[in-house]
Amino acid sequence: MRKPIIAGNWKMHKVRDEALEFVYLVSQHVPPIEEVDTVICAQAVLLRSLVKRQGDNLRIGAQNMFYEDKGAYTGEVSPVTLEDAGVKYVIIGHSERRQYFHETDEDVNKKVHAALRHDLIPIICVGERLEERENNLTNQVVERQTVLALKGLTQEQVKNIVIAYEPIWAIGTGRTATAEMANETCGFIRSVIAREYGQEVADEVRIQYGGSVNPDNIKELMAQEHIDGCLIGGASLDPYAFIKMANYKKL
Ligand code: 13P
């Protein structure tokens, strides 16, 4: 059985005091880590202080990193500093990074390798734009993004990564993919992994859905066969909403 993983992506929100208060409160109300992995992904400058407050059952993630360990790369964040800060997860290839910061599938692949070298679990984002869905290109797009992101990884490494299927048209729009649509694409991604790395790996890899997830729709999404977790933007900013979503089994 795949352990569920509920992650908040705060994007560029929250200053230190708010963030610390949130993590302190939420860490006391999330399910035991043996049952559900609960993660908050925050801006890089906050990570170290949040790790100190994470408690036993909450883990902290970054939203991006560079693929080199060190060097003349002004403004970038090294995987070494994330590891040193006690960060456990890192989101890689979010559609906002692909769109606004021109990240390519090749960059994503290099970052995935770098994350794994530093014991960080990558949460790799894939997903189609609205016009791609309308032109029946969804599977083609997520297949390309998935195959290229995982290029050169061993079966053992692929088992431990997380993939987040986030259709771009559902992000921040209030327009969630229906649970069936989300499940269908997550199932397709799993079949691509089975083809490339074998069924055993595909049965273990965790696939999240992201895009307008909230306390009202999370239970139905999490009930789907191929959805093992959610990556939550807007609704993760409110601690009480986040606590509800981490405890989706009780909703
Ligand atoms: P929303 O939940 O705000 O739609 O954002 C989804 C997302 O991009 C998470 O990474």
Side-chain angles (χ1 to χ4, degrees), residues 9 11 91 94 96 166 170-173 210-213 231-235:
N9 173 11
K11 308 190 179 183
I91 298 173
H94 191 280
E96 287 151 17
E166 299 205 312
I171 295 178
T173 57
S212 298
V213 176
L231 183 57
I232 308 155

Side-chain angles (χ1 to χ4, degrees), residues 26 39 129 141 190 194 233:
V26 165
V39 185
R129 298 195 305 259
V141 170
R190 199 177 302 286

Side-chain angles (χ1 to χ4, degrees), residues 23-39:
V23 163
Y24 181 68
L25 171 67
V26 165
S27 64
Q28 300 171 59
H29 298 283
V30 295
I33 203 163
E34 295 77 26
E35 288 171 29
V36 178
D37 281 320
T38 311
V39 185

Side-chain angles (χ1 to χ4, degrees), residues 11 94-96 99 125-133 138 141-142 145 164-178 181-183 185-186 189 208-213 221 227 231:
K11 308 190 179 183
H94 191 280
S95 59
E96 287 151 17
Q99 183 182 348
C125 299
V126 302
E128 81 286 3
R129 298 195 305 259
L130 182 59
E131 61 269 31
E132 290 166 334
R133 172 152 295 257
T138 300
V141 170
V142 299
Q145 291 173 333
Y165 167 55
E166 299 205 312
I168 295 169
W169 48 270
I171 295 178
T173 57
R175 210 178 141 182
T176 330
T178 64
M181 264 158 88
N183 185 53
T185 306
C186 289
I189 294 168
Q208 296 176 307
Y209 166 77
S212 298
V213 176
L221 289 161
I227 300 180
L231 183 57

